[in-house]
């Protein structure tokens, strides 16, 4: 890490010696249009994937909680996306997203009366298509943490709420969700960091295209450092990503019940 910080203030020239450039690399990061677009795409992807995976993970946990959680084959099938290699996941979704009208997802859209979409081949839909893959892959991981948290909820609270005439939705809102607050803080933190570090799915599905519409900080840093040999600028971009990750993590922690108590 210290080497990366040092590199971020230098023009890195292998075999020739590094040249001090001060904050020039950081100025390029915060003013270059490609970097600003990558930061925007990263934040949109992080927010979308974080919210989507947590909500879907909670829904899956509620469905599998109780007697359904003992059906090991169902739990295994639901958790399978998380343990599947990203290269396999990317290839499967590339086939599903095939732009032809007879592609799997386009066929489904046709049944619903919608025309075929280009998905990964269109600047308007590529980022959202990659986001859907991230949500699909991350939700089972969040589900397992929610299942563990649900196991610790006092069942007498549900019984008392039922006696008072509360329906399923009211029991979830007034009993389940308050009991899951610590799990929400942990999951939002983990999911946000996971989403900010997204690289493999972007690299395999779109490689930042089309027209840079899915370029994120990780892929841009990779291209600057290993393809263009601009190691100093890449290091500065890495430090910016680290700063965003720390800021987002602190924001999530401070928004939780423990964070509020600590802030007082």
């Amino acid at each position: 890490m210290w080497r990366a910080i040092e590199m971020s203030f230098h023009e890195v020239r292998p075999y020739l010696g590094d040249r001090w450039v001060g904050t020039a690399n950081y100025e390029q990061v915060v003013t270059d249009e490609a970097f600003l677009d990558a930061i925007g795409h990263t934040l949109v992807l992080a927010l979308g994937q974080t919210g989507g995976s947590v909500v879907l993970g909670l829904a899956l946990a509620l469905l599998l909680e109780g007697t359904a959680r003992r059906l090991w084959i169902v739990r295994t099938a639901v958790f399978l996306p998380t343990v599947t290699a990203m290269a396999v996941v990317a290839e499967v979704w590339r086939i599903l997203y095939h732009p032809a009208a007879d592609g799997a997802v386009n066929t489904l859209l046709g049944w619903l009366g919608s025309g075929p979409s280009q998905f990964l081949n269109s600047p308007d839909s590529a980022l959202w298509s990659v986001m859907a893959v991230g949500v699909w892959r991350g939700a089972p991981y969040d589900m397992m943490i929610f299942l563990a948290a649900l196991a610790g909820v006092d069942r007498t609270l549900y019984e008392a709420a039922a006696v008072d005439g509360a329906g399923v939705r009211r029991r979830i809102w007034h009993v389940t969700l308050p009991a899951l607050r610590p799990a929400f803080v942990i999951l939002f933190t983990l999911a946000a960091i996971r989403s900010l570090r997204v690289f493999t799915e972007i690299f395999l599905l779109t490689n930042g295209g089309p027209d840079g519409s899915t370029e994120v900080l990780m892929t841009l840093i990779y291209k600057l450092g290993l393809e263009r040999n601009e190691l100093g600028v890449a290091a500065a971009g890495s430090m910016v990503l680290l700063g965003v990750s720390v800021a987002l993590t602190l924001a999530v922690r401070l928004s939780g019940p423990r964070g509020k108590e600590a802030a007082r």
Side-chain angles (χ1 to χ4, degrees), residues 73-118:
I73 191 169
V74 175
R75 288 186 286 114
T76 301
V78 172
F79 193 69
L80 194 59
T82 298
V83 297
T84 303
M86 192 60 225
V88 177
V89 170
E91 188 60 31
V92 169
W93 277 94
R94 188 181 289 109
I95 295 172
L96 293 174
Y97 279 148
H98 197 281
D102 58 351
V105 179
N106 274 328
T107 298
L108 178 60
L109 291 177
W111 292 344
L112 298 176
S114 177
S117 175
Q118 293 297 306

Side-chain angles (χ1 to χ4, degrees), residues 211-235:
D211 299 328
S213 59
T214 60
E215 195 80 84
V216 293
L217 272 174
M218 287 291 289
T219 57
L220 186 57
I221 290 169
Y222 169 83
K223 292 174 182 177
L224 284 170
L226 298 182
E227 294 182 3
R228 306 177 196 173
N229 204 33
E230 297 182 26
L231 296 175
V233 181

Side-chain angles (χ1 to χ4, degrees), residues 109-143:
L109 291 177
W111 292 344
L112 298 176
S114 177
S117 175
Q118 293 297 306
F119 295 112
L120 300 175
N121 297 328
S122 171
D124 297 326
S125 60
L127 188 64
W128 305 104
S129 300
V130 174
M131 185 186 299
V133 177
V135 170
W136 176 81
R137 193 164 189 263
Y141 177 85
D142 297 346
M143 175 200 70

Side-chain angles (χ1 to χ4, degrees), residues 157-210:
L157 296 177
Y158 289 115
E159 296 171 2
V163 170
D164 289 338
V168 175
R169 284 183 295 180
R170 291 181 65 85
R171 289 199 295 270
I172 292 175
W173 184 259
H174 293 287
V175 178
T176 304
L177 294 182
L180 294 179
R181 283 178 184 171
F184 273 112
V185 173
I186 294 172
L187 281 175
F188 273 117
T189 303
L190 293 176
I193 294 174
R194 183 175 66 222
S195 299
L196 285 173
R197 293 189 298 106
V198 64
F199 172 79
T200 310
E201 47 263 62
I202 295 285
F203 185 76
L204 293 175
L205 288 169
T206 64
N207 195 26

